Amino acid sequence: MQEEQQPEAAADPMSSSDAPEDGPKETSSVSQNISDADAFKILLEMKMKKRQKKPTLPSTVTELGTEDGSKVYVVGTAHFSDSSKNDVVKTIQEVQPDVVVVELCQYRVSMLKMDEKTLLKEAKEINLEKLQQAIKQNGVMSGLMQMLLLKVSAHITEQLGMAPGGEFREAFKEASKVPFCKFHLGDRPIPVTFKRAIAALSFWQKVKLAWGLCFLSDPISKDDVEKCKQKDLLEQMMAEMIGEFPDLHRTIVSERDIYLTYMLKQAAKQIELPRASETEPRRYIPAVVVGVVGMGHVPGIEKNWNSDLNIQEIMSVPPPSASSKIFKFVIKATVFGLMGYGCYRIGQRTVQFILSMPAAQSYLQKLTEIKSQH
């Protein structure tokens, strides 16, 4: 799924310094006489003029090209890094893209519009309600895995005091400042990733992975984050834990490399220039795209760039395995068992409390006396 960020309203093409002293009425009149097509052309010319100079790009940017001349600038980021946010802003300002693609899907798009304080609070709070929502949305196994991965992210958040996704929020804001720049979500839907990841594991592998994620507690510093610019911190931590599970690495990293590459290539289609009339021939120019992805995905994107890609296979969700069904049954049995025991204990204590009340004891004594008289 894609989401497009609409361009900001066209600025008044006449500068205030060129307007006459009694110019408000005249300026307004001239502005009203400019057609939408003319305004479009003026903004487009301004944008193209900025592109004429050779861009000065951060070292974290990889430049890729297509056969029709389109250019794609992939910014490799660390998801918890201030310098990565600066790299994204600088790249978008330098190249004035037609499309910005970020490593997010529709299930995580909310982080684009939430402020840093709210996100920081949300990331640290992993509660039963979030677990229930994840299970309802993705199923028992995928929901549990999602919560465990959130726990890894929350651990980093707590250690650094920095909310994740800052580079994506900066990309969203900067894209809105570039005339006619679209904003696309380029990552595979997270439920598909989790369901395919779960299907790739055996029962005992699932238990082992869950155990490792549950007891994650190693301290992390900001220096560690910057050192991980060569490999995204979150994905590096995951890679260390899933190193013995190559199928899991394939679904979480390699398959998403393919999906991200496909979405970047789709965004890099040539763009059509505006026409003054329907009779005017269509004209196209190469597109300029900025991709914002975790540094761990950049080598995979480069590797897949010149390949013919078909994402249908990596979008399919395999049926649950026997081990998944067993694990699901065990989880449900455990949850319902705990709930039943809790109800029993609460009910038992409630009865004891009621019976200990003076009014209840008096009523019982009267019943006993009536019964003894009969």
Side-chain angles (χ1 to χ4, degrees):
M1 181 178 289
Q2 298 180 348
E3 178 173 307
E4 298 184 358
Q5 175 65 21
Q6 298 297 329
E8 290 187 332
D12 189 338
M14 290 190 64
S15 65
S16 58
S17 59
D18 294 332
E21 292 181 0
D22 57 344
K25 291 182 181 179
E26 186 173 343
T27 302
S28 176
S29 175
V30 172
S31 299
Q32 289 174 2
N33 291 331
I34 295 178
S35 67
D36 290 342
D38 289 337
F40 189 106
K41 286 180 180 179
I42 291 170
L43 282 174
L44 189 61
E45 286 173 4
M46 291 169 58
K47 183 175 179 177
M48 293 305 171
K49 189 175 180 180
K50 289 183 179 180
R51 282 188 185 169
Q52 288 178 0
K53 64 184 182 67
K54 184 176 176 60
T56 303
L57 301 173
S59 60
T60 52
V61 176
T62 300
E63 184 177 343
L64 300 169
T66 66
E67 292 180 355
D68 58 23
S70 295
K71 292 183 179 180
V72 178
Y73 300 91
V74 183
V75 188
T77 67
H79 293 319
F80 294 83
S81 168
D82 284 329
S83 64
S84 284
K85 291 190 282 188
N86 296 333
D87 289 351
V88 169
V89 172
K90 182 174 178 58
T91 302
I92 292 175
Q93 290 176 347
E94 286 287 319
V95 306
Q96 294 289 296
D98 303 300
V99 186
V100 172
V101 181
V102 296
E103 185 198 330
L104 286 177
C105 68
Q106 65 267 35
Y107 293 91
R108 293 177 289 158
V109 73
S110 60
M111 72 162 54
L112 294 175
K113 297 180 180 179
M114 294 172 69
D115 61 83
E116 190 85 5
K117 185 177 180 181
T118 304
L119 276 167
L120 198 59
K121 182 181 178 182
E122 285 283 320
K124 290 180 179 180
E125 292 180 355
I126 298 179
N127 50 38
L128 183 60
E129 184 180 349
K130 285 187 178 180
L131 176 60
Q132 290 173 335
Q133 185 178 358
I135 290 175
K136 183 179 180 181
Q137 186 180 78
N138 304 315
V140 175
M141 288 302 304
S142 299
L144 287 172
M145 186 171 184
Q146 180 178 347
M147 292 308 297
L148 290 173
L149 289 175
L150 282 175
K151 183 180 185 298
V152 176
S153 179
H155 171 64
I156 302 173
T157 298
E158 187 175 3
Q159 293 281 319
L160 300 182
M162 182 187 299
E167 73 274 34
F168 303 138
R169 289 189 290 282
E170 290 298 327
F172 182 70
K173 286 189 287 187
E174 286 303 314
S176 69
K177 300 175 185 177
V178 178
F180 316 111
C181 181
K182 299 177 181 179
F183 188 87
H184 289 182
L185 305 177
D187 202 3
R188 181 172 65 178
I190 200 166
V192 176
T193 297
F194 285 141
K195 287 174 182 177
R196 287 184 62 84
I198 289 298
L201 298 177
S202 69
F203 174 78
W204 292 113
Q205 285 175 327
K206 292 168 189 172
V207 173
K208 192 170 184 179
L209 177 64
W211 182 266
L213 289 169
C214 284
F215 291 93
L216 177 72
S217 60
D218 293 338
I220 303 162
S221 68
K222 290 189 177 182
D223 289 338
D224 291 332
V225 178
E226 296 310 321
K227 288 176 184 176
C228 289
K229 288 290 284 290
Q230 298 305 312
K231 195 170 185 182
D232 179 72
L233 177 61
L234 183 57
E235 286 171 5
Q236 178 169 329
M237 293 179 69
M238 286 301 302
E240 290 174 356
M241 287 183 287
I242 66 179
E244 59 188 287
F245 310 134
D247 289 334
L248 191 60
H249 184 274
R250 171 177 54 80
T251 55
I252 291 181
V253 181
S254 301
E255 288 184 357
R256 288 172 58 228
D257 289 347
I258 294 172
Y259 191 91
L260 287 164
T261 306
Y262 177 84
M263 294 301 288
L264 286 168
K265 291 177 80 170
Q266 288 296 110
K269 303 287 186 181
Q270 287 191 325
I271 62 173
E272 182 182 353
L273 292 174
R275 294 183 295 164
S277 67
E278 291 294 326
T279 57
E280 186 179 336
R282 294 178 183 272
R283 292 186 300 152
Y284 296 87
I285 61 171
V288 174
V289 178
V290 170
V292 182
V293 304
M295 181 60 79
H297 289 293
V298 176
I301 291 172
E302 287 187 276
K303 176 184 174 183
N304 292 302
W305 188 251
N306 294 315
S307 304
D308 292 328
L309 303 175
N310 183 353
I311 63 170
Q312 295 304 316
E313 183 181 346
I314 62 172
M315 288 298 290
S316 63
V317 178
S321 62
S323 63
S324 292
K325 292 178 181 178
I326 293 171
F327 195 80
K328 184 176 180 179
F329 174 78
V330 170
I331 291 293
K332 281 188 174 180
T334 303
V335 170
F336 284 115
L338 289 172
M339 288 175 63
Y341 179 72
C343 291
Y344 165 74
R345 292 293 296 173
I346 291 172
Q348 189 180 43
R349 291 182 180 180
T350 301
V351 171
Q352 290 176 348
F353 174 73
I354 292 173
L355 292 177
S356 66
M357 295 176 66
Q361 290 181 351
S362 175
Y363 181 73
L364 288 173
Q365 185 177 1
K366 289 180 179 179
L367 283 178
T368 304
E369 290 175 355
I370 292 172
K371 189 175 180 180
S372 62
Q373 289 175 1
H374 285 42

